[in-house]
Amino acid sequence: MYAIVRAGGRQEKVSVGDVLIIDKVNDKPGESIQLQPLLLVDGSTVTSDAAKLAQVKVTAEVVKATKGPKITIMKYKNKTGYRKRQGHRQPTTQIQVTAIEA
């Protein structure tokens, strides 16, 4: 059984035990969060009806807060000597899916 869930503005395919990296959430490690299901596949049964999906619960546990890869921003203007270098690491959260209850 797997589900397609909305996690941080993106859609992710999850099953029980999967570890995901999503946009930052303000929960502490060990806390449980609910993910919104968009599609549920159980064997040959595919559920996409909104009324039936409202009864489905996808639960995940926050593992830890992480950071994404470093990106480098370089600004440069020709003939003036202007150079500016800047870096950025997006804050993310690592979660583990614990249950899909249909």
Side-chain angles (χ1 to χ4, degrees), residues 10-74:
R10 290 184 297 280
Q11 295 179 6
E12 301 278 348
K13 177 183 175 182
V14 299
S15 58
V16 176
D18 286 354
V19 177
L20 297 174
I21 295 182
I22 61 171
D23 290 343
K24 181 183 175 188
V25 293
N26 291 326
D27 293 318
K28 296 185 175 24
E31 291 185 5
S32 181
I33 61 172
Q34 298 286 328
L35 300 174
Q36 178 187 1
L38 302 174
L39 183 82
L40 180 68
V41 177
D42 187 10
S44 62
T45 307
V46 178
T47 305
S48 62
D49 184 33
K52 292 180 182 177
L53 285 174
Q55 300 168 355
V56 175
K57 291 184 180 179
V58 178
T59 308
E61 179 183 342
V62 175
V63 177
K64 64 180 178 178
T66 60
K67 289 185 178 180
K70 183 158 192 167
I71 63 167
T72 304
I73 300 116
M74 185 73 187

Side-chain angles (χ1 to χ4, degrees), residues 1 3 6 15 21 23 27 37 58 60 66 68 73 76-77 79-82 89 96:
M1 176 188 323
R6 183 180 310 274
S15 58
I21 295 182
D23 290 343
D27 293 318
V58 178
T66 60
I73 300 116
Y76 172 77
K77 294 201 181 217
K79 300 177 187 166
T80 61
Y82 174 76
R89 292 185 73 186
Q96 181 174 12

